[in-house]
Amino acid sequence: DSGVTQTPKHLITATGQRVTLRCSPRSGDLSVYWYQQSLDQGLQFLIQYYNGEERAKGNILERFSAQQFPDLHSELNLSSLELGDSALYFCASSAGSPYGYTFGSGTRLTVV
Amino acid sequence: AQSVTQPDIHITVSEGASLELRCNYSYGATPYLFWYVQSPGQGLQLLLKYFSGDTLVQGIKGFEAEFKRSQSSFNLRKPSVHWSDAAEYFCAVDLNQAGTALIFGKGTTLSVSS
């Protein structure tokens, strides 16, 4: 157990739908990062939150959004889902550079 | 643009043999450097990291990596591979700049033959 909890582990949904992925960071970590992992694109950084505020933005689509709540858990919202959104979505937390990130076990999203 | 290159997509090593996985980065200054391992269906686990000091760093599971500034490389090594080391390995860099996050290479899949 890495200390980063992601739910659900698996999600199957239809095109056009909206889903919410949840992440609880490791105790004491203020930063949460979201990554998308697919076979063709590899690990792509989506977005970072630090203590409730957006800090960095990567290759996140406009159909995707995220937030971090006062208890530091984070949610990634994916809407108007397309087949190409099928991927593993990872959440990671960090205490800051240079400590690296601790990853959760991911949510596997399948859009059908 | 900053990038991380892992030249080998797939490597097969015999059990007990030595291993070296290559990683090169493209960045003006020396970033913080990491190696992660991902077993099938699992998240990424940190193997080791370098941010300053001794250029040879030791990690978990018997892995080590050497930072070579002149070659912009951070290669991962293990003297004797075990079947349980079969997994995907990712090199990553932290530019330590506001507004950035870990940049990952495409990964190297390690297979271990008996």
Side-chain angles (χ1 to χ4, degrees):
Chain A
D1 182 8
S2 68
V4 177
T5 303
Q6 286 189 251
T7 57
K9 290 193 183 305
H10 302 276
L11 201 48
I12 301 176
T13 190
T15 54
Q17 294 299 304
R18 171 189 165 96
V19 297
T20 297
L21 312 183
R22 182 188 169 104
C23 169
S24 294
R26 195 178 57 165
S27 177
D29 288 352
L30 299 180
S31 281
V32 169
Y33 302 81
W34 287 97
Y35 280 80
Q36 180 192 59
Q37 185 180 37
S38 60
L39 282 175
D40 53 344
Q41 295 293 322
L43 273 159
Q44 295 288 312
F45 168 63
L46 297 177
I47 198 164
Q48 177 205 358
Y49 277 81
Y50 176 84
N51 203 21
E53 294 188 3
E54 182 185 306
R55 276 290 177 93
K57 221 166 184 177
N59 300 319
I60 189 166
L61 300 172
E62 285 191 12
R63 300 183 284 109
F64 296 1
S65 65
Q67 54 185 325
Q68 186 179 28
F69 295 87
D71 66 352
L72 300 179
H73 92 271
S74 178
E75 293 181 355
L76 179 67
N77 302 295
L78 315 176
S79 62
S80 302
L81 285 167
E82 301 174 359
L83 295 177
D85 297 327
S86 296
L88 259 173
Y89 291 84
F90 284 107
C91 167
S93 72
S94 173
S97 294
Y99 302 106
Y101 300 175
T102 302
F103 281 81
S105 57
T107 294
R108 181 171 293 281
L109 173 66
T110 303
V111 183
V112 298
Chain B
Q2 296 90 1
S3 65
V4 181
T5 302
Q6 295 181 243
D8 304 304
I9 296 174
H10 191 187
I11 283 183
T12 300
V13 174
S14 298
E15 190 167 17
S18 64
L19 168 71
E20 182 169 29
L21 302 182
R22 297 181 290 163
C23 172
N24 293 92
Y25 63 90
S26 170
Y27 181 57
T30 298
Y32 302 140
L33 298 159
F34 304 85
W35 275 98
Y36 284 84
V37 61
Q38 183 181 26
S39 298
Q42 301 296 315
L44 283 78
Q45 181 183 22
L46 180 64
L47 283 176
L48 46 78
K49 61 182 179 236
Y50 171 81
F51 52 93
S52 67
D54 193 344
T55 57
L56 183 64
V57 294
Q58 303 296 319
I60 62 170
K61 303 185 181 189
F63 286 92
E64 66 179 28
E66 185 173 14
F67 167 60
K68 291 187 177 179
R69 186 188 308 274
S70 61
Q71 298 176 18
S72 296
S73 69
F74 188 55
N75 294 349
L76 181 71
R77 302 195 294 245
K78 186 170 185 178
S80 177
V81 167
H82 187 260
W83 64 266
S84 60
D85 294 324
E88 189 157 18
Y89 292 79
F90 293 92
C91 180
V93 303
D94 180 352
L95 304 181
N96 192 28
Q97 292 178 349
T100 66
L102 278 186
I103 303 170
F104 285 86
K106 294 285 190 185
T108 298
T109 300
L110 172 66
S111 297
V112 179
S113 61
S114 56

